[in-house]
């Protein structure tokens, strides 16, 4: 789904001036971190030089730390933040060295080690074999600890915790890494409180069959959300994926199947950059731009036959609200309003985003982060 890009390695140091003022006072004490894979990893001290193999993790850090970029010695897959505005804001004070692109084969062990990290944060997308991945084993053999921040995979459906359980573990882990356990607990409580409001408004309502498209471009069709990772978030909002979807994360469907299978709502995924015919939905784009992109998607072959398109129930969401775990609550709230407009009319995702910006994010993210074909 993502094409590989030639390897580029940026080596160099990271200025740490003034960092002591924002690090925990007991930073020299050893830590034992329980990562998302359930591995207990010992760190000699609170990390000061973290390499992110999934750059999106810096957003989770931003909820818990006043200057997360000061701790990031390097990152990979920065394009998957899916917003040049967000990415540039993190790099406003310092450019973060790139250690890889969007696929595991672009990551260089030598490039990682040259940055002298005291922690590397991976996921199953960039280290597919988990703790037994060759890259992980070689890093640990070189004395560099590795933890996993996400276990999302299209290979299996055996995660019993679910999206919300994974989110909680994700935040607790980052709270341990950054010495911000109390703030992580505060954000989890905030998330759970808002989730209860959604659960209450959709309680007893029949699930709304929805085509949630996770790779929306004008020249391709039809990448549907799976039944566990993003599909579970849809379920929390009072929806359900198409009956033919069996994969946990994403699945390619045939156009003929999509047209012949009734669905009530179509939710597309938009991006903070619009290359490749994606709808322009995300930080820095207006609702009008998003609406224009959604219109182009509905002009694809066969889409005029979808009941959701005929009835004007076409919407788009910034991918970050699905792919960045702490932002999942924004997707769930907004999707619930689209799927159950009468029952969930009192939900206010824009106010939720404003509260996240005010109370938690060191780098605020401005909306609108969603759009509708008919407002």
């Amino acid at each position: 789904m993502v094409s590989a890009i030639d390897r580029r390695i940026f080596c160099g140091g990271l200025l740490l001036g003034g960092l002591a003022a924002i690090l925990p006072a007991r930073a020299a004490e050893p830590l034992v971190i329980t990562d998302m894979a359930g591995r207990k990893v010992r760190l000699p001290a609170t990390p000061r030089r973290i390499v992110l193999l999934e750059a999106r993790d810096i957003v989770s850090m931003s909820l818990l730390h006043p200057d997360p970029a000061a701790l990031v010695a390097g990152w990979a897959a920065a394009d998957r933040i899916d917003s040049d505005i967000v990415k540039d804001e993190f790099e406003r004070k310092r450019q973060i060295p790139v250690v890889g692109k969007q696929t595991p084969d672009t990551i260089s062990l030598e490039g990682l080690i040259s940055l002298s990290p005291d922690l590397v944060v991976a996921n199953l997308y960039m280290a597919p074999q988990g703790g037994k991945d060759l890259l992980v084993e070689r890093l640990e053999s070189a004395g560099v600890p590795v933890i996993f921040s996400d276990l999302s995979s299209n290979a299996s459906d055996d995660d019993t915790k679910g999206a919300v359980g994974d989110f909680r573990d994700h935040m607790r882990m980052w709270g341990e890494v950054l010495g911000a356990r109390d703030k992580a607990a505060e954000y989890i409580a905030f998330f759970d409180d808002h989730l209860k409001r959604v659960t209450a408004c959709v309680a007893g309502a029949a699930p709304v069959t929805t085509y949630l498209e996770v790779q929306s471009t004008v020249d391709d069709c039809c990448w549907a959300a799976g039944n566990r990772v993003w599909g579970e978030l849809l379920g929390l909002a009072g929806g359900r994926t198409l009956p033919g979807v069996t994969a946990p994360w994403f699945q390619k469907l045939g156009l003929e199947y999509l047209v012949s299978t009734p669905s009530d709502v179509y939710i597309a995924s938009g991006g903070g950059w619009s290359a490749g015919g994606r709808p322009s939905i995300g930080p820095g784009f207006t609702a009008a731009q998003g609406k224009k992109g959604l219109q182009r998607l509905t002009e694809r072959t066969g889409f005029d036959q979808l009941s959701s398109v005929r009835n004007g129930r076409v919407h788009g969401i910034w991918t970050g609200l699905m792919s960045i775990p702490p932002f999942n609550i924004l997707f769930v709230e907004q999707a619930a309003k689209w799927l159950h407009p009468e029952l969930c009319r009192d939900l206010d995702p824009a106010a939720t985003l404003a509260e996240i910006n005010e109370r938690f994010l060191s780098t605020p993210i401005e909306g609108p982060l969603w759009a509708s074909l008919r407002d």
Side-chain angles (χ1 to χ4, degrees):
M1 190 168 67
V2 180
S3 58
I5 302 175
D6 291 339
R7 179 177 305 177
R8 288 191 298 168
I9 302 166
F10 288 78
C11 303
L14 182 67
L15 295 176
L16 297 175
L19 187 58
I22 56 177
L23 284 174
R26 303 174 66 183
E29 293 188 3
L31 305 172
V32 177
I33 305 298
T34 301
D35 73 0
M36 291 289 291
R39 302 158 65 246
K40 293 189 179 299
V41 180
R42 186 182 185 277
L43 307 182
T46 298
R48 298 171 182 262
R49 299 182 60 78
I50 302 172
V51 170
L52 304 175
L53 298 189
E54 181 62 65
R56 287 186 301 222
D57 275 332
I58 198 171
V59 181
S60 297
M61 295 172 67
S62 181
L63 290 161
L64 306 176
H65 192 281
D67 187 8
L71 301 179
V72 178
W75 62 10
D79 286 349
R80 278 206 291 267
I81 294 176
D82 206 3
S83 170
D84 285 339
I85 287 178
V86 174
K87 175 180 175 292
D88 292 347
E89 183 60 27
F90 282 118
E91 292 194 295
R92 184 168 51 85
K93 295 179 181 179
R94 62 191 61 81
Q95 185 174 7
I96 300 174
V98 175
V99 299
K101 291 296 184 180
Q102 294 196 21
T103 53
D105 59 291
T106 65
I107 298 172
S108 164
L109 175 68
E110 295 76 13
L112 291 178
I113 293 177
S114 72
L115 294 172
S116 302
D118 47 23
L119 177 65
V120 171
V121 183
N123 61 15
L124 287 188
Y125 193 86
M126 300 302 274
Q129 303 305 314
K132 296 183 179 179
D133 197 273
L134 180 60
L135 176 65
V136 175
E137 291 180 343
R138 292 179 69 185
L139 283 167
E140 293 179 336
S141 295
V144 180
V146 180
I147 62 174
F148 282 80
S149 66
D150 184 19
L151 299 181
S152 296
S153 169
N154 214 36
S156 64
D157 195 16
D158 58 1
D159 184 357
T160 58
K161 291 184 179 179
V164 175
D166 286 348
F167 150 75
R168 294 191 186 106
D169 286 349
H170 174 91
M171 291 304 294
R172 289 190 190 105
M173 185 204 78
W174 275 114
E176 292 176 4
V177 170
L178 300 176
R181 293 177 180 84
D182 289 346
K183 195 165 187 181
E186 183 183 357
Y187 191 82
I188 291 171
F190 168 85
F191 186 108
D192 287 345
D193 178 62
H194 281 261
L195 184 59
K196 287 178 183 177
R197 300 177 196 180
V198 178
T199 302
C201 78
V202 302
V208 177
T209 303
T210 304
Y211 173 42
L212 174 57
E213 190 174 49
V214 298
Q215 178 79 352
S216 302
T217 61
V218 295
D219 57 358
D220 195 13
C221 185
C222 309
W223 290 98
N227 56 26
R228 196 191 69 78
V229 183
W230 293 320
E232 185 186 349
L233 297 175
L234 182 66
L236 293 172
R240 63 184 172 197
T241 56
L242 299 175
V245 174
T246 58
W249 194 1
F250 58 85
Q251 183 172 334
K252 175 81 166 176
L253 301 176
L255 178 60
E256 182 179 348
Y257 171 82
L258 182 64
V259 171
S260 63
T261 303
S263 60
D264 300 301
V265 176
Y266 166 38
I267 301 177
S269 61
W273 46 269
S274 56
R278 305 166 75 219
S280 301
I281 303 173
F285 292 114
T286 66
Q289 287 174 298
K291 183 176 180 179
K292 182 178 179 180
L294 290 175
Q295 180 63 45
R296 292 182 65 201
L297 290 178
T298 64
E299 293 168 357
R300 287 177 293 180
T301 301
F303 271 65
D304 60 343
Q305 301 179 48
L306 300 182
S307 57
S308 55
V309 174
R310 292 198 305 268
N311 296 327
R313 301 189 72 180
V314 176
H315 312 282
I317 202 90
W318 178 44
T319 56
L321 303 190
M322 293 189 291
S323 61
I324 300 172
F327 287 170
N328 289 167
I329 188 59
L330 292 166
F331 170 78
V332 174
E333 283 192 351
Q334 186 59 56
K337 286 184 72 71
W338 288 332
L339 302 182
H340 302 279
E342 292 300 321
L343 294 174
C344 297
R345 60 182 177 273
D346 292 335
L347 295 179
D348 191 348
T352 302
L353 175 60
E355 188 174 357
I356 291 172
N357 282 331
E358 181 180 355
R359 290 180 55 188
F360 298 101
L361 276 176
S362 60
T363 303
I365 295 177
E366 302 300 330
L369 304 180
W370 44 78
S372 294
L373 192 58
R374 294 183 185 174
D375 295 319

